[in-house]
Amino acid sequence: MDEMTRVRELRADAPAPDRARLAPGRARLVEAARTAERRRSAWGRRKLVVAAAFAAVTAIAVTATVMAQGNQAGRKVTPAVSPSPSLDLKGMSTRELLERAAETVERQPPVVEPRADQWIYTKETQEGGDRDIDIENWLRYDGTASAFDPMGMVGKKGGEVQITPMNLEGGGDDDRSPRQMYHFVSTLPTDADGVLKALREEDAIADEKGRSQAWNDYTEISVLLDAYVLPPKGVAGLYRALATVPHGTVVGHLVEDGAGHRAIALRFPRGGSDSAEAADEWLLDPVTYQIVGERMIENGKVIGGNAYLAKAVVDKAGRRS
């Protein structure tokens, strides 16, 4: 059986190529936007990246099918074994957790900013639909191109990525380059009040009418924390700002993400209310406190999200290290 025949058979069961499934690292944000709970507009003086829109969605859908993992959506949130006896999440408040996280990332060495011609490689598991899928993408740091591996053949004989020209720094209405995102976050202070003031002055995302200031702050913080490359001190400030958002709760045990990794789950009810029926969860590494994924919860079940398998700055699209 030749490869194209096999791909056509796989494609028959491929999930619909909606943006929530195909845009890496953005399933939670886009789903919220689709249900009119978030709205994005152009950044002001310093433009930021909201999402990297990758082209050729049909080809990516084929890739997703080839790499399908077979896990079922709607799985229950299950505990995972703690990596350290000293990590006790029971009864911990959001403010306590995020202050610990901020202090931890502040001690990390500064991130070396990528060159404009380097690429951000990501591989992640996307949850949602009939089964989980793994997706690999590359995005140039200056936002001039994206790339993907449509046949899962990179690294094999004759396998090459397909590169799509982009212009994320060209003044469009939503997408901005990782470089612009990094530069903005590097200007943020490390205290909550300072970060919130800077975000409100920037007014990067138009406030949603009928929503509280806290919810609109949460929207902006969410977009920033979802960036590809971030300076540790900027992350610390964003964590402290996130701690001011009401109704956040820490799940009292480590959870297992879609990739099978143990993570701390920080939950915020969808829409800024105190309802627990629908919520966003941020997944943090229990040692580094870096964000390793996000997911959507409804009635105690995972209905969508993503978990990072790998991230790297590389010199060429198609490389993984």
Side-chain angles (χ1 to χ4, degrees):
M1 181 181 295
D2 62 29
E3 291 181 349
M4 289 310 300
T5 300
R6 179 59 177 158
V7 168
R8 291 189 188 100
E9 291 177 355
L10 289 169
R11 183 66 185 90
D13 296 326
D18 60 281
R19 182 167 174 163
R21 177 177 294 279
L22 301 178
R26 304 302 187 266
R28 180 182 50 78
L29 296 178
V30 176
E31 173 67 14
R34 187 181 66 79
T35 57
E37 290 188 344
R38 290 188 183 152
R39 195 178 52 181
R40 301 179 301 183
S41 65
W43 284 96
R45 300 180 301 281
R46 294 167 298 221
K47 305 287 200 243
L48 304 182
V49 61
V50 174
F54 292 93
V57 294
T58 301
I60 298 178
V62 173
T63 306
T65 305
V66 171
M67 302 180 72
Q69 297 301 293
N71 294 338
Q72 297 297 313
R75 63 184 178 85
K76 293 183 179 180
V77 178
T78 55
V81 179
S82 172
S84 170
S86 63
L87 182 61
D88 186 2
L89 299 174
K90 291 182 179 179
M92 183 179 291
S93 69
T94 300
R95 192 174 295 272
E96 289 172 331
L97 172 68
L98 287 172
E99 181 56 36
R100 177 186 290 193
E103 292 175 353
T104 300
V105 298
E106 276 180 321
R107 292 194 295 267
Q108 295 174 2
V111 172
V112 176
E113 184 181 0
R115 299 190 312 269
D117 64 345
Q118 288 185 304
W119 297 73
I120 312 301
Y121 163 69
T122 58
K123 180 178 180 180
E124 59 187 284
T125 294
Q126 293 269 336
E127 297 186 77
D130 295 331
R131 52 189 171 183
D132 296 355
I133 55 175
D134 287 354
I135 298 177
E136 293 184 290
N137 279 294
W138 290 261
L139 177 64
R140 238 181 86 128
Y141 184 62
D142 62 4
T144 58
S146 64
F148 61 94
D149 179 10
M151 296 292 294
M153 295 294 290
V154 170
K156 301 177 182 179
K157 185 177 180 179
E160 294 183 357
V161 294
Q162 293 189 13
I163 296 177
T164 302
M166 303 181 76
N167 186 24
L168 295 184
E169 295 186 0
D173 281 343
D174 68 15
D175 297 334
R176 296 297 179 266
S177 74
R179 176 168 64 179
Q180 289 173 311
M181 176 73 88
Y182 180 94
H183 287 171
F184 178 78
V185 176
S186 68
T187 70
L188 294 177
T190 58
D191 66 288
D193 290 341
V195 170
L196 293 174
K197 180 180 179 182
L199 294 180
R200 292 169 187 172
E201 287 178 351
E202 188 68 25
D203 195 25
I205 302 175
D207 288 348
E208 188 175 347
K209 293 181 180 180
R211 296 295 191 188
S212 66
Q213 180 64 63
W215 172 251
N216 287 312
D217 290 340
Y218 174 74
T219 302
E220 301 222 25
I221 295 167
S222 297
V223 173
L224 290 168
L225 285 175
D226 207 33
Y228 288 98
V229 183
L230 290 173
K233 289 189 179 297
V235 175
L238 289 170
Y239 280 166
R240 292 186 174 112
L242 184 59
T244 68
V245 177
H247 309 308
T249 57
V250 179
V251 176
H253 53 75
L254 291 182
V255 301
E256 186 175 291
D257 66 17
H261 301 146
R262 295 171 298 184
I264 299 169
L266 179 59
R267 185 175 297 179
F268 286 91
R270 184 76 55 78
S273 71
D274 58 358
S275 170
E277 292 183 0
D280 298 337
E281 277 191 355
W282 294 94
L283 303 179
L284 281 67
D285 183 277
V287 176
T288 67
Y289 291 93
Q290 295 285 351
I291 292 172
V292 293
E294 307 123 43
R295 61 189 188 182
M296 294 173 285
I297 305 293
E298 281 191 7
N299 298 317
K301 291 186 177 181
V302 180
I303 63 167
N306 70 288
Y308 285 110
L309 297 168
K311 267 187 184 182
V313 177
V314 297
D315 291 332
K316 182 180 178 181
R319 293 184 180 176
R320 298 180 175 91
S321 61

